Amino acid sequence: MSHGGPPPNGANDIPPVDIAAGKKRISPTERRTVERVRQQRPGDAVVRVRRARFQGFSRTAEAHLEARAELEKPRDLAGVLKRWLVGEPIHAALESHERLTKKKALAVFSSDALSSVAYTPQETLVILLVAGTAATWWMLPLAIGVVLLLATVVTSYRQTIYTYPSGGGSYIVAHANLGEIPGLVAAAALIVGYVLTVSVSIASAVDQMVSAAPGLVDERVLLGVAAIALVTVANLRGIRESGTIFAAPTYLFLAAMFGLIGFGLIKLASGTLVVPPPVQAEIGHEPLSLFLILRAFAVASAVMTGTEAISNGIPAFKPPEPRNAARTLLSMAAILGTMFLGLSILIVGAGVIPSHEDTVISQLTRSVFGEGLLYFVVQSSAVLILVLAANTAYADFPRLASLLARDDYAPHQLAYRGDRLAFSNGIILLGILAGVLIVVFGGSTGALLPLYALSVFAAFTFSQAGMVKHWWRERGPRWRFKTVVNGLGATATGIVALIAAITNLMNPDLPIIPGLPIGWGSWVVLLIIPFFIWLFRLVHTHYAEARVLSALPADPSAVSPIRQHIVVLVARLNLPAVRALQYAASLSADVTAVYLASDADSARELEEHWKTWSQGIPLVVLESPYRSLTGPLMQFLLELKRNENADLVTVVLPEYVPDHWWEHVLHGQSAQFLKLALLFTPGFVVTSIPIHEHALARDQSEH
Amino acid sequence: MSHGGPPPNGANDIPPVDIAAGKKRISPTERRTVERVRQQRPGDAVVRVRRARFQGFSRTAEAHLEARAELEKPRDLAGVLKRWLVGEPIHAALESHERLTKKKALAVFSSDALSSVAYTPQETLVILLVAGTAATWWMLPLAIGVVLLLATVVTSYRQTIYTYPSGGGSYIVAHANLGEIPGLVAAAALIVGYVLTVSVSIASAVDQMVSAAPGLVDERVLLGVAAIALVTVANLRGIRESGTIFAAPTYLFLAAMFGLIGFGLIKLASGTLVVPPPVQAEIGHEPLSLFLILRAFAVASAVMTGTEAISNGIPAFKPPEPRNAARTLLSMAAILGTMFLGLSILIVGAGVIPSHEDTVISQLTRSVFGEGLLYFVVQSSAVLILVLAANTAYADFPRLASLLARDDYAPHQLAYRGDRLAFSNGIILLGILAGVLIVVFGGSTGALLPLYALSVFAAFTFSQAGMVKHWWRERGPRWRFKTVVNGLGATATGIVALIAAITNLMNPDLPIIPGLPIGWGSWVVLLIIPFFIWLFRLVHTHYAEARVLSALPADPSAVSPIRQHIVVLVARLNLPAVRALQYAASLSADVTAVYLASDADSARELEEHWKTWSQGIPLVVLESPYRSLTGPLMQFLLELKRNENADLVTVVLPEYVPDHWWEHVLHGQSAQFLKLALLFTPGFVVTSIPIHEHALARDQSEH
């Protein structure tokens, strides 16, 4: 084990001796060396046998090293900033699987659904008011219709819970039962739905904030984007104590809503509930049409968005998981239905006129409790639960994205857990998409809601259609009854999805080009879903192809050995060039050095000294009278590869790496151009042998 | 020479046999192969001995290949566009050295100086008018002063011509005689001067255009930038027929000017020369101060900018070069002085009031010849010679930049001749700098002129001070007289440089921040010149250091052999990974494969199949429980390098190269991060073994 250079570890002057040198190709982690211990008395010879040490690692098995936490220390300012934002990395073994009681589970999985009452009654009312104040009594029949629809959906979903106890999201159910395309449609609808969950919840949270602090009315978009950024960073940290964090605001909100509804109904009955109309209110004079009622219904039914969350989260329940989940689903539906009906009665009874500067909840609270501390408690609880609702999408979207990535429908990076165990890439992607929607739709809850309803109900439909297919195929006990239940669910939700699509195809209030009556509307969703499906399949095809092409043959000897040739590019005869020649000579006997000359004269000096420094490597001089580099060189390499029958040509480039970035400008970029040119040519490998300025300076000062 | 893969050149089914196989390390260009020729009758055996063929190259000597023009064909749209703009590449052997007659030389080297009469009288007049119309008669004494100054400078430069017959620019003379810093000051002053030559000439050409076509008055900056772009592209093409191209417009301009002056003086004498005052004219009422007169003198003396061109271009003259050059210099000075005096008399006599919407030349021509065809001929000749003047800087600046690059004061790229034999990088740099000046100074000739005068006279001063030092050191025949001549020149030009600097330190008409009275002015030049010198020396220090560090030792055996270790990164066991293992195994026995596992389980499957595919390479499993990649891997590589006493660790990465750029997104960028991290760590080399999707697909379809 002799070597010519100075020993890299200066601490140990005695070169180590490899005691396993006889046995070839020992793993570097298992290599043992004998060190002579500094002798105390003449004649003594004490040796120490030592296994190779790898600082920063623990040896967990033969040839297994585990990186220690000390290697995770931030190395630069960006690293320190990331640590501060995102927190210390978490060991893989600490991945927790918190089991939730029914009460906690209700808080965790229902914030999305329950928070909907903060905006759906309001937006339903806005639509009905297009036909004047007389039309607002339609809130009551619509609310009853929504409750019936909710009952259908919940009954249908109970069956899903018992059938897919390990979590039956729309994508899984539709993919497993209906096939690839319906599964992807469900996935695309869910993705759009999750993004809209964030946008709508945050937009509505901003509405509630603005109601309590009217000075912020012009900062809607800014507030919304800031809130999304906050939730995104929180999720990148990984929210560990989720159950506890969720419970308080959810139950506070429930208490606030039931208090509001209870006291409100008492005041209403006693005739003392007076809600002053807002300063700004848009009241239309169109005739009340079926179209308008359907449009209002589609928006009202958005109250049940988020119902699916429980059936996705079954494994988080305490055992017996399916039963506990089913019961939680029923409780949630009962609470949600009661709140929606109660609020509807209050609204119609008190004749509330909605306004985006002052939400219906805010108006009612002010009328029932006055504008004291209690008002701010109720508004805060609404803001909090809406932010939590947005947060649920941050759990669901990255999980769905990772499932899609696992199934090769999305880039594999989406299945990668960051150093806080969260699916970082999915979280960031969701934040960006939701932020864009907030900006494009100007932070308007009303404009986003129909799209939300459409995508959620499309996902519902595919999920329940999948269940129908499931029963039909299985034909287990009571399959006819179960088919009918899920069939009813699928039909009902399908109709709502259709209504949402048709009644909101275009929204002229939200023009794409200001002045033209062509608006953003549900066509965006109808366009995005097929686009996503196309994208999923494109990615899938690519991964499938790559998998087939990268697969190993059954017989290892079928992989033919590689015949290779090495080319060293020499620009002038200096130390970097000689090191590159040495490097190449140490690797192979099939080496050629190439000098690119702009004229024959410039080669002469190089050739004179070639013998001395060549390391036995033959030199070819390429004359490029047109002074171009890449063209002639590429052609030479291709011809060389053919002439030498080489499978692989390795091009070795000496690269002088200066100490400072700006000094790179002084050393030309020819190497980079060549690398780029060869990257897409099969059979070529480019290796830069970097010679570092500071290493050279150190070497010279040592000698 | 057996190999396992299919022969790369499918055309030849019989594998070639290397007849020089006994002699090792033969150059690939000299390798001879024996081919069996397809046999005509059974029993025949015809073989052909053939030297390796390299298509696209001609063999000019043993191991010398010359690239043919066919390799220069553009390969993509950008290439086609470049060819269209810049033209076909020119063979190095065609570099021509056209020798110029005195008449052609006058045209080539004097356009810069002669064209100055198109703007200096005008701008001098503008300054004098600050003290009212009564002050304009000062034009005449100033003109006489300038002619005297011109005589001094020319006399002084005649001595330079005879002393440096191979071309004595200010940089060369000052560097050789006064030392490094004065040489660099001269170079910096020249660079600023050349950039200003382009800016001022083009700005003035635009003034002349605008006078003839007043509709363009608001497009000054746009016209200026477009003209610079045009001249830049023309120079990238390389102007081959320079003598002929230059002669016509220069002599046309001279004819126009002498015609104008001649007929003008006749009309003036006969009292019929009436120049109507322009619509817009700025006439001040300040008292006539010495400061104002000096300021006007500095601008007037800018008429002799470009005088240096002849002494730079001596080698282009027909022999006897110095004598012909000296005579041309005298002719030029005589013509220039006469024109300047003549125009001054006309201006004062006719009481011309200058205006930037209608130049003095334009006003005079209109008054003398009327606004017919002749007017447009004169204006066009002025525009043409000004563009040619700008063009001279495109020859001088890149030549100076290449000299600086040769002396290690500027990036070496500036010494690189493009495929049209022009110093492309210098040409592009000049175009950009001049364009920026046009934009910053709003295309105003008057604002740019004082800076121009300052930089040109600073360069004059250093050049002539260098000559003084030269005579003083040489003490040849008549050295005292020669010292006095150059000393006078240096003193006179030094005073003018000082005047230009002091009288134009700030130009409140050109505020840096609109509204504040802090303006652009000659301080820009006084700041830029030291900055350039600092830059020159920085670059020089770096190149010197790199040269010392890259130098080869006297004894070739002092370059120690490289002890290296190869690490193959395996992400999963597939074809790309096995090819990378094969590649590494074929290069060296010191190879370790590394698998980075996020947990211990993920390694198990890999280890199970390792024996089958390992190529005998031991595997080390790195567990990264915090899921980070770069940190643990870097640490492992550093520890491995230390443990194995390796000088160089080569990291081999299998890289799947998909067919389409977007598919790269699907394959992760971990390899790129690693490459970046290792680029600045001495002793590491990263090699990607690209496996190309289309190559795999072809292989599979063949089997």
Side-chain angles (χ1 to χ4, degrees), chain A residues 1 8 16 25 27-29 31 53-55 57 60 63-67 69 71-72 75 89-92 411 413 416-419 421 538 542-543 545-546 548-550 552-553 556 559-564 573-576 578-579 582-583 587-589 592 607 612-613 615-623 625-628 631-632 635-636 639-640 642-645 648 650 656 658 662-668 679-682 684-685 687-688 690 692-694 697 700, chain B residues 3 8 16 25 27-29 31 53-55 57 60 63-67 69 71-72 75 89-92 411 413 416-419 421 538 542-543 545-546 548-550 552-553 556 559-564 573-576 578-579 582-583 587-589 592 607 612-613 615-623 625-628 631-632 635-636 639-640 642-645 648 650 656 658 662-668 679-682 684-685 687-688 690 692-694 696-697 700:
Chain A
M1 253 183 85
R25 302 224 169 185
S27 168
T29 61
R31 202 189 294 287
R53 277 193 292 187
F54 284 80
Q55 266 176 31
F57 294 91
T60 53
H64 274 242
L65 300 176
E66 189 187 291
L71 298 183
E72 301 299 321
R75 249 163 282 247
I90 298 170
H91 195 287
Q413 287 97 321
Y416 162 82
R417 281 179 192 272
D419 54 11
L421 290 166
L538 197 68
H542 173 74
Y543 277 132
E545 210 175 280
V548 168
L549 292 174
S550 303
L552 289 167
V559 181
S560 52
I562 296 174
R563 184 183 155 81
Q564 69 147 344
L573 209 52
N574 57 10
L575 198 55
V578 171
R579 299 281 286 180
Q582 271 191 328
Y583 174 81
L587 290 179
S588 168
T592 304
E607 285 179 296
T612 317
W613 300 100
Q615 320 286 324
I617 297 170
L619 175 73
V620 171
V621 175
L622 287 189
E623 285 164 28
Y626 300 97
R627 294 158 306 285
S628 63
Q635 178 69 14
F636 174 77
E639 289 292 300
L640 181 76
R642 187 179 56 72
N643 277 319
E644 300 288 313
N645 271 346
L648 204 59
T650 302
Y656 186 90
W662 62 267
E663 293 170 337
H664 281 274
V665 176
L666 305 177
H667 291 275
L679 177 64
F680 294 103
T681 317
F684 289 93
V685 170
T687 295
S688 290
H692 295 258
E693 194 171 58
H694 55 97
Q700 293 209 342
Chain B
H3 69 106
R25 302 224 168 185
S27 170
T29 59
R31 203 189 291 288
R53 277 192 293 188
F54 284 80
Q55 267 177 32
F57 294 90
T60 52
H64 275 242
L65 300 177
E66 188 186 294
L71 297 183
E72 302 298 322
R75 247 163 284 250
I90 299 168
H91 197 285
Q413 288 96 322
Y416 163 81
R417 281 180 191 272
D419 54 9
L421 289 167
L538 197 69
H542 173 73
Y543 277 132
E545 210 175 281
V548 168
L549 292 174
S550 302
L552 288 168
V559 180
S560 54
I562 296 175
R563 183 181 158 80
Q564 69 147 344
L573 209 52
N574 57 12
L575 199 56
V578 171
R579 299 282 285 182
Q582 271 190 327
Y583 175 80
L587 290 179
S588 167
T592 304
E607 285 181 294
T612 318
W613 301 100
Q615 319 288 321
I617 295 170
L619 175 72
V620 171
V621 175
L622 287 188
E623 287 163 28
Y626 300 97
R627 294 159 306 284
S628 62
Q635 177 69 13
F636 174 77
E639 290 291 302
L640 182 77
R642 187 179 56 73
N643 278 318
E644 301 287 313
N645 273 346
L648 204 59
T650 302
Y656 186 90
W662 62 266
E663 292 172 337
H664 280 274
V665 176
L666 305 178
H667 291 273
L679 177 64
F680 294 102
T681 317
F684 289 92
V685 170
T687 294
S688 291
H692 294 257
E693 193 170 56
H694 54 98
L696 285 174
Q700 293 210 343

Side-chain angles (χ1 to χ4, degrees), chain A residues 535-549:
Chain A
L535 214 61
F536 292 153
R537 299 200 17 112
L538 197 68
V539 170
H540 193 75
T541 308
H542 173 74
Y543 277 132
E545 210 175 280
R547 202 178 296 274
V548 168
L549 292 174

